[in-house]
Amino acid sequence: MKRTIFAIFIGLMFGLVLAPLSLQAWGGGEPPWNAPLLPGGTTVKTESTAIYIEYNLPYEKVLAFYKDAMAKYPDEKFRDWSDQMYIEDQGGAQWHSIGIFKDGGAKTTVKITRDNMTWVFSTLAIRFAGVFFVLCVLWVFLNINSAVMKKFFPEKKKVAKA
């Protein structure tokens, strides 16, 4: 009986801890999830975790707007890729990233994605695998080191005193 109550208690504790995460990740909200938006855009496509907005402006003007808008967000990282400028939120915003595509020409497409649990769990799995790999390499080197130490410094037998 005590085990059942203990198991229910532990289950409730995990539920209470994980509930805010699930509410944040799947809790709805309307696109673009409080991300800064340049006025005058046309929504091209909407997915469950992303929205595509097209502007009749060149890439440089859209990028200038987002650089000004991101000045008040301290946790943003800009990555200049070959096909887009990728702005990633590493803080607590509801949106995860803003991609400004370098299509060229007079139109620019902006993709805003939201945080999702697939991304969170995949990065955690990659980090876990990385730490596990490093620990395995250290274990191999420690075994090699102990074998070398045993060979060069053999254990001395104690002589029993009579």
Side-chain angles (χ1 to χ4, degrees):
M1 183 68 183
K2 286 183 178 180
R3 288 184 181 182
T4 304
I5 292 172
F6 184 72
I8 291 171
F9 178 73
I10 293 296
L12 286 173
M13 293 302 289
F14 274 112
L16 288 173
V17 168
L18 295 177
L21 291 175
S22 64
L23 290 175
Q24 181 185 3
W26 294 292
E30 293 296 319
W33 306 286
N34 294 328
L37 268 184
L38 178 64
T42 305
T43 301
V44 177
K45 183 178 171 186
T46 303
E47 298 172 349
S48 62
T49 59
I51 183 170
Y52 294 82
I53 303 169
E54 189 173 81
Y55 295 97
N56 289 327
L57 294 170
Y59 167 78
E60 290 80 18
K61 287 193 177 188
V62 176
L63 180 62
F65 168 79
Y66 277 101
K67 281 190 175 183
D68 287 343
M70 293 300 151
K72 63 182 173 186
Y73 291 94
D75 299 322
E76 310 310 318
K77 295 282 182 187
F78 285 76
R79 295 185 172 96
D80 192 9
W81 293 344
S82 63
D83 64 334
Q84 65 176 303
M85 176 64 78
Y86 184 78
I87 305 167
E88 183 176 7
D89 173 60
Q90 296 181 341
Q94 291 179 349
W95 52 276
H96 173 69
S97 67
I98 297 173
I100 305 167
F101 290 93
K102 300 176 181 175
D103 297 337
K107 291 189 176 186
T108 302
T109 304
V110 174
K111 176 185 177 186
I112 301 172
T113 58
R114 67 181 277 191
D115 279 337
N116 62 36
M117 294 309 287
T118 303
W119 181 83
V120 170
F121 284 120
S122 63
T123 56
L124 285 175
I126 290 170
R127 290 175 185 172
F128 176 78
V131 168
F132 185 74
F133 177 75
V134 168
L135 289 176
C136 286
V137 169
L138 287 174
W139 178 76
V140 167
F141 281 122
L142 283 174
N143 280 333
I144 292 171
N145 186 31
S146 66
V148 169
M149 295 293 279
K150 283 181 182 176
K151 180 168 178 118
F152 289 111
F153 303 105
E155 187 175 333
K156 294 180 182 176
K157 305 250 179 191
K158 290 184 179 180
V159 179
K161 292 182 181 178

